[in-house]
Amino acid sequence: MSAAATMPSVRGRLTLNAPLAPLVWFKSGGNAEWLFEPKDEEDLVSFLCELEPEMPVMALGLGSNLIV
C-alpha cells in the first residue's frame, strides 16, 4: 500500500515531498515529507484526528522564525 493511501482524505491541499523554501522567510530549505494546508479549521481537526498516531507533526506558521 502506498503512503498516500494511508493518509486521511482532506478538503485542503496535501502534498508529498513539498518544497518548503517558498514558504519560509529565508527562501531556503528542503522538502517536507508531507505538507498539509487545510481548507479550514474543520479540515485541520478531521485530518489530525484521522492521522496515524506515530506520524510526526510540526506546525509551520508563517515561516518567519524557521530555518529549514
Coordinates of all heavy atoms in Angstrom, one line a residue:
M1 N 0.8 -1.2 0.0 CA 0.0 0.0 0.0 C 0.9 1.2 0.0 O 1.9 1.3 0.7 CB -0.9 0.0 1.2 CG -1.9 1.1 1.3 SD -3.0 1.1 2.7 CE -3.6 -0.5 2.8
S2 N 0.6 2.2 -0.8 CA 1.4 3.4 -0.9 C 1.2 4.3 0.3 O 0.1 4.2 1.0 CB 1.1 4.2 -2.2 OG -0.2 4.8 -2.0
A3 N 2.1 5.2 0.6 CA 2.0 6.2 1.7 C 0.8 7.1 1.5 O 0.1 7.4 2.5 CB 3.3 7.0 1.8
A4 N 0.5 7.4 0.3 CA -0.7 8.3 0.1 C -2.0 7.6 0.4 O -2.9 8.2 0.8 CB -0.7 8.8 -1.4
A5 N -2.0 6.3 0.2 CA -3.2 5.5 0.6 C -3.5 5.5 2.0 O -4.6 5.3 2.5 CB -3.1 4.1 0.0
T6 N -2.5 5.7 2.9 CA -2.7 5.7 4.3 C -3.0 7.0 4.9 O -3.3 7.1 6.1 CB -1.4 5.1 5.0 OG1 -0.3 5.9 4.8 CG2 -1.2 3.7 4.5
M7 N -2.9 8.1 4.1 CA -3.1 9.4 4.6 C -4.6 9.7 4.6 O -5.3 9.2 3.8 CB -2.4 10.5 3.8 CG -0.9 10.4 3.8 SD -0.2 10.6 5.5 CE -0.2 12.4 5.6
P8 N -5.1 10.5 5.6 CA -6.5 10.8 5.7 C -6.9 11.6 4.4 O -6.1 12.3 3.9 CB -6.7 11.7 6.9 CG -5.5 11.4 7.7 CD -4.4 11.0 6.8
S9 N -8.2 11.5 4.1 CA -8.7 12.4 3.0 C -8.9 13.8 3.5 O -9.2 14.0 4.7 CB -10.0 11.8 2.4 OG -11.0 11.8 3.4
V10 N -8.7 14.8 2.7 CA -8.7 16.2 3.1 C -9.5 17.0 2.1 O -9.6 16.6 0.9 CB -7.3 16.8 3.3 CG1 -6.5 16.1 4.3 CG2 -6.5 16.8 2.0
R11 N -10.0 18.2 2.5 CA -10.6 19.1 1.6 C -9.6 20.2 1.1 O -9.7 20.8 0.1 CB -11.8 19.8 2.2 CG -12.9 18.7 2.4 CD -14.2 19.4 3.0 NE -13.9 19.7 4.4 CZ -14.0 21.0 4.8 NH1 -14.3 22.0 4.1 NH2 -13.8 21.2 6.1
G12 N -8.5 20.4 1.9 CA -7.5 21.3 1.6 C -6.5 20.7 0.7 O -6.8 19.8 -0.1
R13 N -5.2 21.0 0.8 CA -4.2 20.5 0.0 C -3.2 19.7 0.8 O -2.6 20.1 1.8 CB -3.4 21.7 -0.7 CG -2.5 21.2 -1.8 CD -1.8 22.3 -2.5 NE -2.3 23.7 -2.2 CZ -1.8 24.8 -2.7 NH1 -0.8 24.7 -3.5 NH2 -2.3 25.9 -2.4
L14 N -2.9 18.5 0.3 CA -1.9 17.5 0.9 C -0.9 17.2 -0.1 O -1.2 16.6 -1.2 CB -2.6 16.3 1.4 CG -1.8 15.3 2.2 CD1 -1.2 15.9 3.4 CD2 -2.6 14.1 2.5
T15 N 0.3 17.6 0.1 CA 1.4 17.5 -1.0 C 2.5 16.6 -0.4 O 3.0 16.8 0.6 CB 2.0 18.9 -1.3 OG1 0.9 19.7 -1.6 CG2 2.9 18.8 -2.5
L16 N 2.9 15.6 -1.2 CA 4.0 14.7 -0.9 C 5.3 15.4 -1.4 O 5.3 16.0 -2.5 CB 3.8 13.4 -1.7 CG 4.9 12.3 -1.5 CD1 5.0 11.9 -0.1 CD2 4.5 11.1 -2.4
N17 N 6.4 15.3 -0.6 CA 7.7 15.9 -0.9 C 7.6 17.4 -1.3 O 8.1 17.8 -2.3 CB 8.3 15.1 -2.1 CG 8.7 13.7 -1.6 OD1 9.2 13.5 -0.5 ND2 8.5 12.8 -2.5
A18 N 6.9 18.1 -0.5 CA 6.6 19.6 -0.8 C 7.8 20.4 -0.5 O 8.4 20.3 0.6 CB 5.4 20.0 0.0
P19 N 8.2 21.3 -1.4 CA 9.3 22.2 -1.2 C 8.9 23.2 -0.1 O 7.9 23.8 -0.2 CB 9.6 22.8 -2.5 CG 8.4 22.6 -3.3 CD 7.7 21.4 -2.8
L20 N 9.8 23.4 0.9 CA 9.5 24.4 1.9 C 10.1 25.8 1.7 O 9.7 26.7 2.3 CB 10.0 23.8 3.3 CG 9.2 22.6 3.8 CD1 9.8 22.1 5.1 CD2 7.8 22.9 3.9
A21 N 11.1 25.9 0.8 CA 11.8 27.1 0.6 C 10.8 28.3 0.2 O 10.9 29.4 0.8 CB 12.8 27.0 -0.5
P22 N 9.8 28.0 -0.6 CA 8.9 29.1 -0.9 C 8.0 29.6 0.3 O 7.4 30.7 0.2 CB 7.9 28.6 -2.0 CG 8.7 27.4 -2.6 CD 9.5 26.9 -1.4
L23 N 8.0 28.8 1.3 CA 7.1 29.1 2.5 C 7.8 29.8 3.6 O 7.2 30.2 4.6 CB 6.4 27.8 3.0 CG 5.6 27.1 1.9 CD1 5.1 25.8 2.5 CD2 4.5 27.9 1.4
V24 N 9.2 29.8 3.6 CA 9.9 30.4 4.7 C 10.6 31.7 4.3 O 10.9 31.9 3.1 CB 10.9 29.4 5.3 CG1 10.2 28.2 5.9 CG2 12.0 29.0 4.3
W25 N 10.8 32.5 5.3 CA 11.4 33.9 5.0 C 12.7 33.9 4.3 O 12.9 34.7 3.4 CB 11.5 34.6 6.4 CG 11.8 36.0 6.3 CD1 10.9 37.0 5.9 CD2 13.0 36.7 6.5 NE1 11.5 38.2 5.9 CE2 12.8 38.0 6.2 CE3 14.3 36.2 6.8 CZ2 13.9 39.0 6.3 CZ3 15.3 37.1 6.9 CH2 15.1 38.5 6.7
F26 N 13.6 33.0 4.7 CA 14.9 33.0 4.0 C 14.9 32.3 2.7 O 15.9 32.3 2.0 CB 16.0 32.2 4.9 CG 16.4 33.0 6.1 CD1 16.0 32.7 7.4 CD2 17.2 34.1 5.9 CE1 16.4 33.4 8.5 CE2 17.7 34.9 7.0 CZ 17.3 34.5 8.3
K27 N 13.8 31.7 2.3 CA 13.6 31.1 0.9 C 14.7 30.0 0.7 O 15.2 29.8 -0.4 CB 13.7 32.1 -0.2 CG 12.7 33.2 -0.1 CD 11.3 32.6 -0.1 CE 10.2 33.7 0.0 NZ 9.0 33.3 0.5
S28 N 15.0 29.3 1.8 CA 15.9 28.2 1.7 C 15.4 27.0 2.4 O 14.4 27.1 3.1 CB 17.3 28.6 2.3 OG 17.1 28.8 3.7
G29 N 15.9 25.8 2.0 CA 15.5 24.6 2.7 C 15.1 23.5 1.8 O 15.0 23.6 0.6
G30 N 14.8 22.4 2.4 CA 14.5 21.1 1.6 C 13.0 20.9 1.5 O 12.2 21.9 1.6
N31 N 12.7 19.7 1.4 CA 11.3 19.3 1.2 C 10.7 18.7 2.5 O 11.4 18.0 3.3 CB 11.1 18.2 0.1 CG 11.5 18.8 -1.2 OD1 11.7 20.0 -1.4 ND2 11.5 18.0 -2.2
A32 N 9.4 18.9 2.7 CA 8.7 18.2 3.8 C 8.2 16.9 3.2 O 7.8 16.8 2.0 CB 7.5 19.0 4.2
E33 N 8.2 15.8 4.0 CA 7.7 14.5 3.5 C 6.3 14.7 3.1 O 5.9 14.3 2.0 CB 7.8 13.5 4.6 CG 7.4 12.1 4.2 CD 7.7 11.1 5.3 OE1 8.3 11.4 6.3 OE2 7.1 10.0 5.1
W34 N 5.5 15.4 3.9 CA 4.1 15.7 3.6 C 3.9 17.2 4.1 O 4.3 17.6 5.1 CB 3.1 14.8 4.3 CG 3.1 13.4 3.8 CD1 3.7 12.4 4.4 CD2 2.3 13.0 2.7 NE1 3.4 11.2 3.7 CE2 2.6 11.6 2.6 CE3 1.5 13.5 1.8 CZ2 2.0 10.8 1.6 CZ3 1.0 12.8 0.8 CH2 1.2 11.4 0.7
L35 N 3.1 17.9 3.3 CA 2.7 19.3 3.7 C 1.2 19.3 3.6 O 0.6 19.1 2.5 CB 3.3 20.3 2.8 CG 2.9 21.8 3.1 CD1 3.4 22.2 4.5 CD2 3.4 22.7 2.0
F36 N 0.5 19.6 4.7 CA -0.9 19.8 4.7 C -1.3 21.2 4.9 O -0.9 21.8 5.8 CB -1.5 18.9 5.8 CG -3.0 19.0 5.9 CD1 -3.9 19.0 4.8 CD2 -3.6 19.3 7.2 CE1 -5.2 19.1 5.0 CE2 -4.9 19.4 7.3 CZ -5.8 19.3 6.2
E37 N -2.1 21.7 3.9 CA -2.6 23.1 4.0 C -4.2 22.9 4.1 O -4.8 22.7 3.1 CB -2.2 23.9 2.8 CG -0.7 24.0 2.7 CD -0.2 24.6 1.4 OE1 0.0 23.8 0.4 OE2 0.0 25.8 1.3
P38 N -4.7 23.0 5.3 CA -6.1 22.8 5.5 C -7.0 23.9 4.9 O -6.6 25.0 4.8 CB -6.3 22.7 7.0 CG -5.2 23.5 7.5 CD -4.0 23.3 6.6
K39 N -8.2 23.5 4.4 CA -9.1 24.4 3.9 C -9.7 25.3 5.0 O -9.9 26.5 4.7 CB -10.2 23.7 3.1 CG -11.2 24.6 2.5 CD -12.2 23.8 1.7 CE -13.2 24.8 1.0 NZ -14.1 24.1 0.1
D40 N -9.9 24.7 6.1 CA -10.5 25.5 7.2 C -10.2 24.7 8.5 O -9.6 23.6 8.5 CB -12.0 25.7 7.1 CG -12.8 24.4 6.8 OD1 -12.4 23.3 7.2 OD2 -13.8 24.5 6.1
E41 N -10.7 25.2 9.6 CA -10.4 24.6 10.9 C -11.0 23.2 11.0 O -10.3 22.3 11.5 CB -11.0 25.5 12.1 CG -10.8 24.9 13.4 CD -11.4 25.8 14.5 OE1 -11.8 26.9 14.2 OE2 -11.4 25.3 15.7
E42 N -12.2 23.0 10.5 CA -12.8 21.6 10.5 C -11.9 20.6 9.7 O -11.8 19.5 10.2 CB -14.2 21.7 9.9 CG -14.9 20.4 9.9 CD -16.3 20.5 9.3 OE1 -17.0 21.5 9.4 OE2 -16.7 19.6 8.6
D43 N -11.4 21.0 8.6 CA -10.5 20.2 7.8 C -9.2 19.8 8.6 O -8.8 18.6 8.6 CB -10.1 20.9 6.5 CG -9.5 20.0 5.5 OD1 -9.7 18.8 5.5 OD2 -8.7 20.6 4.6
L44 N -8.7 20.8 9.3 CA -7.5 20.5 10.2 C -7.8 19.5 11.3 O -7.1 18.6 11.5 CB -6.9 21.8 10.8 CG -5.8 21.7 11.7 CD1 -4.6 21.0 11.1 CD2 -5.4 23.0 12.3
V45 N -8.9 19.7 12.0 CA -9.3 18.9 13.1 C -9.5 17.4 12.6 O -9.0 16.5 13.2 CB -10.5 19.4 13.8 CG1 -11.1 18.4 14.8 CG2 -10.2 20.7 14.5
S46 N -10.2 17.3 11.5 CA -10.5 16.0 11.0 C -9.2 15.3 10.6 O -9.1 14.1 10.9 CB -11.5 16.2 9.7 OG -11.6 14.9 9.1
F47 N -8.3 16.0 9.9 CA -7.1 15.4 9.5 C -6.3 14.9 10.7 O -5.8 13.8 10.7 CB -6.3 16.4 8.7 CG -4.9 16.0 8.3 CD1 -4.8 15.1 7.2 CD2 -3.8 16.4 8.9 CE1 -3.5 14.7 6.7 CE2 -2.5 15.9 8.6 CZ -2.4 15.1 7.5
L48 N -6.1 15.7 11.7 CA -5.3 15.3 12.9 C -5.9 14.2 13.6 O -5.2 13.3 14.1 CB -5.1 16.5 13.8 CG -4.2 17.7 13.2 CD1 -4.2 18.9 14.2 CD2 -2.8 17.2 12.9
C49 N -7.3 14.1 13.7 CA -7.9 13.0 14.3 C -7.8 11.7 13.6 O -7.7 10.6 14.2 CB -9.4 13.3 14.5 SG -9.8 14.6 15.8
E50 N -7.7 11.7 12.3 CA -7.6 10.5 11.5 C -6.1 10.1 11.2 O -5.9 9.0 10.7 CB -8.3 10.7 10.1 CG -9.8 10.9 10.3 CD -10.5 11.2 8.9 OE1 -9.9 10.7 7.9 OE2 -11.5 11.9 8.9
L51 N -5.2 11.0 11.5 CA -3.8 10.7 11.2 C -3.2 9.6 12.1 O -3.6 9.5 13.3 CB -3.0 12.0 11.4 CG -1.5 12.0 10.9 CD1 -1.5 11.9 9.4 CD2 -0.9 13.3 11.3
E52 N -2.4 8.8 11.5 CA -1.8 7.7 12.3 C -1.0 8.3 13.5 O -0.3 9.3 13.3 CB -0.8 6.9 11.5 CG -1.5 6.1 10.4 CD -2.3 5.0 10.9 OE1 -1.9 4.4 11.9 OE2 -3.3 4.6 10.2
P53 N -1.2 7.8 14.7 CA -0.6 8.4 15.9 C 1.0 8.5 15.8 O 1.5 9.4 16.4 CB -1.0 7.5 17.0 CG -2.1 6.7 16.5 CD -2.0 6.7 15.0
E54 N 1.6 7.7 15.1 CA 3.1 7.7 15.1 C 3.6 8.7 14.0 O 4.8 8.9 14.0 CB 3.7 6.3 14.8 CG 3.3 5.7 13.5 CD 1.9 4.9 13.6 OE1 1.4 4.8 14.6 OE2 1.5 4.5 12.5
M55 N 2.8 9.3 13.3 CA 3.2 10.3 12.3 C 3.6 11.6 13.0 O 2.8 12.2 13.7 CB 2.1 10.6 11.2 CG 2.4 11.7 10.2 SD 3.7 11.2 9.0 CE 2.8 10.0 8.0
P56 N 4.8 12.1 12.8 CA 5.2 13.3 13.5 C 4.5 14.5 12.8 O 4.4 14.5 11.6 CB 6.7 13.4 13.3 CG 7.0 12.5 12.2 CD 5.9 11.4 12.1
V57 N 4.2 15.5 13.6 CA 3.5 16.7 13.1 C 4.2 18.0 13.6 O 4.6 18.0 14.7 CB 2.0 16.8 13.6 CG1 1.4 18.1 13.2 CG2 1.3 15.6 13.0
M58 N 4.4 18.9 12.7 CA 5.0 20.2 13.1 C 4.3 21.3 12.4 O 4.1 21.3 11.2 CB 6.5 20.3 12.6 CG 7.2 21.6 13.0 SD 8.9 21.5 12.4 CE 9.3 23.2 12.7
A59 N 3.8 22.3 13.2 CA 3.1 23.5 12.6 C 4.2 24.5 12.2 O 5.1 24.8 12.9 CB 2.2 24.1 13.7
L60 N 4.0 25.0 11.0 CA 5.0 25.9 10.4 C 4.6 27.4 10.7 O 5.5 28.2 10.7 CB 5.1 25.7 8.9 CG 5.8 24.4 8.5 CD1 5.9 24.4 7.0 CD2 7.1 24.2 9.1
G61 N 3.4 27.7 10.8 CA 3.0 29.1 10.9 C 3.4 29.9 9.7 O 3.2 29.4 8.6
L62 N 3.9 31.1 9.8 CA 4.2 31.9 8.6 C 5.7 31.7 8.1 O 6.1 32.3 7.1 CB 4.0 33.4 8.9 CG 2.6 33.7 9.2 CD1 2.4 35.2 9.6 CD2 1.7 33.4 8.0
G63 N 6.5 30.9 8.9 CA 7.8 30.6 8.4 C 8.8 31.7 8.6 O 10.0 31.6 8.2
S64 N 8.5 32.7 9.4 CA 9.5 33.8 9.6 C 10.5 33.5 10.7 O 11.6 34.1 10.7 CB 8.8 35.1 10.0 OG 8.0 34.9 11.2
N65 N 10.2 32.5 11.5 CA 11.2 32.1 12.6 C 11.7 30.7 12.4 O 12.0 30.0 13.3 CB 10.5 32.3 14.0 CG 10.2 33.7 14.3 OD1 10.8 34.6 13.8 ND2 9.2 33.9 15.1
L66 N 11.8 30.3 11.1 CA 12.1 28.9 10.8 C 13.2 28.9 9.8 O 13.1 29.5 8.7 CB 10.9 28.2 10.3 CG 11.0 26.7 10.0 CD1 11.2 25.9 11.2 CD2 9.7 26.3 9.3
I67 N 14.2 28.1 10.0 CA 15.3 27.8 9.0 C 15.2 26.3 8.7 O 15.3 25.5 9.6 CB 16.7 28.2 9.5 CG1 16.7 29.7 9.8 CG2 17.7 27.8 8.5 CD1 18.0 30.2 10.4
V68 N 15.0 26.0 7.5 CA 14.8 24.6 7.1 C 16.1 24.1 6.5 O 16.7 24.8 5.7 CB 13.7 24.5 6.0 CG1 13.5 23.0 5.6 CG2 12.4 25.0 6.6

